[in-house]
Amino acid sequence: MELAQQVGSRLRELRLERNLSLSALARLSGVGKGTLSELEAGRRNATLETLYALTTALDSPLTAVLGPDPARATLSGRAVDAVLVERYEDPAAVTEIYRIRIRTGAVQESDAHPPGTQEHLIVLSGTARVGAASAPVEAGPGEHAHWPADIPHVYAAVSGDVEAILTVRYPA
Amino acid sequence: MELAQQVGSRLRELRLERNLSLSALARLSGVGKGTLSELEAGRRNATLETLYALTTALDSPLTAVLGPDPARATLSGRAVDAVLVERYEDPAAVTEIYRIRIRTGAVQESDAHPPGTQEHLIVLSGTARVGAASAPVEAGPGEHAHWPADIPHVYAAVSGDVEAILTVRYPA
DNA sequence: ACAGAACGTTCTGTTTACGGAACGAAATGG
DNA sequence: CCATTTCGTTCCGTAAACAGAACGTTCTGT
């Protein structure tokens, strides 16, 4: 089964990253050697208890062997790929944090968001040109930009691909 | 078993939130009625396949039935509580994103981090006074502050508790 | 070169998670 | 007011996940 195979290969990856032999992990976790062998081969649908014993021995969260979280939405546009890292709702506003990459050679325009929306960008690498469509600013590695997003705004990479953290905050 | 009981009660919560009967969820998910009954009672160690069928029918990520992620480390200091939201490693640096709250009435001092470390703060609510110990700055809701963290620095809340997003980036 | 240990896979018997049927209780409706 | 449906739990036979043993193979060390 496909799910079992995905879990199996992730399990094997984690084990090898830690330079553990299959036998060693079996001993550490208290899981049978044969069980682990077949799990890694994707020939078993593990029980939660078994998975928990293994991930605990691997000092990993249980989620490390489950697929990428489908709730972690990804948005792809002309020049920007974004993956949602976190989303909070508080009484006043909704805050979303994205890990984004801006590709060179293209400009992405975004229409106005709800009134009061603000965006912050912290650049990790590359140089970005972002902000209000009428007055974009540049931000290099380690720098920050901030603009109102309730008017049309743009994202572009000036030099090299840009890795950055984008925070969007809009009234509830 | 304790793990099974936690999963069971979360499963029941999710089902009730959606106003589904146990029988209806069993039908939707293709899981046996008896199986689901005993799962919710915490009397079974579910198989991944079964859990996946159930969470899919509930339109929830698989992680919704697993406990809170223990990898989400929390740090508590004199004035600051921080929960790690995300951590990336790239060839050049490590980036950590925290959701933090700064309590009023106390000042937290932090010693110098590794050379080259930078911190960014985006304030969601309240007014913070943060930055180099020798030259802190104020940032109100929606504002941003940025300082080198390889020297002693401070965190304080000027008015009301401060909710904010803290990004720490230091060379690998 | 050979003994011994450790490796990962395959086999074996037991336990248990599974789907479905059977059950009594509560809700529904004609 | 009784017939029918739907509810959640319990029972049952089967399939499979489990721990541990047995196996051949590949390291390790003397």
Side-chain angles (χ1 to χ4, degrees):
Chain A
M1 197 269 205
E2 193 182 342
L3 177 63
Q5 289 176 7
Q6 290 179 5
V7 171
S9 50
R10 267 185 274 271
L11 213 42
R12 172 163 285 166
E13 275 178 42
L14 285 177
R15 174 172 68 79
L16 295 179
E17 276 176 16
R18 286 161 181 70
N19 291 318
L20 284 173
S21 70
L22 188 151
S23 307
L25 177 56
R27 246 177 286 122
L28 270 178
S29 61
V31 166
K33 222 185 347 180
T35 299
L36 181 50
S37 175
E38 294 199 330
L39 275 182
E40 287 194 353
R43 305 185 49 71
R44 287 228 197 149
N45 296 308
T47 292
L48 253 201
E49 208 175 11
T50 301
L51 270 191
Y52 183 78
L54 288 170
T55 53
T56 299
L58 286 167
D59 197 32
S60 293
L62 192 37
T63 56
V65 293
L66 311 175
D69 195 335
R72 178 171 284 202
T74 74
L75 309 170
S76 285
R78 180 161 203 77
V80 176
D81 295 317
V83 323
L84 181 64
V85 163
E86 193 69 40
R87 182 189 155 93
Y88 312 108
E89 295 193 33
D90 59 53
V94 177
T95 305
E96 293 172 347
I97 302 177
Y98 296 89
R99 177 77 154 86
I100 76 168
R101 147 171 260 148
I102 311 176
R103 287 187 295 273
T104 42
V107 176
Q108 182 158 343
E109 306 185 12
S110 177
D111 288 339
H113 295 186
T117 302
Q118 305 252 324
E119 295 191 0
H120 287 264
L121 189 80
I122 295 172
V123 177
L124 303 182
S125 66
T127 300
R129 185 170 181 80
V130 293
S134 55
V137 299
E138 286 199 5
E143 292 182 337
H144 163 266
H146 172 216
W147 63 90
D150 51 6
I151 58 176
H153 49 287
V154 297
Y155 308 85
V158 171
S159 73
D161 284 356
V162 168
E163 301 283 350
I165 294 165
L166 176 69
T167 303
V168 182
R169 186 161 166 87
Y170 54 89
Chain B
M1 197 268 203
E2 192 182 342
L3 178 63
Q5 289 176 7
Q6 290 180 4
V7 171
S9 50
R10 266 180 220 109
L11 213 43
R12 173 163 285 165
E13 275 179 43
L14 285 177
R15 174 171 67 79
L16 295 179
E17 277 175 15
R18 285 162 180 69
N19 290 318
L20 285 172
S21 70
L22 188 152
S23 307
L25 177 56
R27 244 178 287 125
L28 271 177
S29 61
V31 165
K33 232 197 323 193
T35 299
L36 181 50
S37 175
E38 293 198 331
L39 275 182
E40 287 194 354
R43 306 186 48 73
R44 289 233 194 140
N45 295 309
T47 292
L48 253 201
E49 208 175 13
T50 302
L51 270 191
Y52 184 78
L54 288 171
T55 54
T56 299
L58 286 166
D59 197 32
S60 294
L62 193 36
T63 57
V65 293
L66 310 175
D69 196 335
R72 179 166 286 203
T74 74
L75 309 170
S76 286
R78 179 161 203 75
V80 176
D81 295 316
V83 324
L84 180 64
V85 163
E86 192 72 39
R87 182 191 156 93
Y88 314 108
E89 294 193 34
D90 58 53
V94 177
T95 305
E96 294 172 347
I97 303 177
Y98 296 88
R99 176 77 153 86
I100 75 169
R101 147 172 257 145
I102 310 175
R103 287 187 295 274
T104 43
V107 176
Q108 182 158 342
E109 307 185 10
S110 177
D111 288 339
H113 295 184
T117 303
Q118 304 252 325
E119 296 192 0
H120 286 264
L121 189 80
I122 296 172
V123 177
L124 303 181
S125 65
T127 300
R129 186 171 180 81
V130 293
S134 55
V137 299
E138 287 200 3
E143 293 183 336
H144 163 266
H146 172 218
W147 62 90
D150 50 8
I151 58 176
H153 48 287
V154 298
Y155 308 85
V158 172
S159 72
D161 284 357
V162 168
E163 301 284 348
I165 293 163
L166 176 69
T167 303
V168 181
R169 186 162 168 88
Y170 54 90

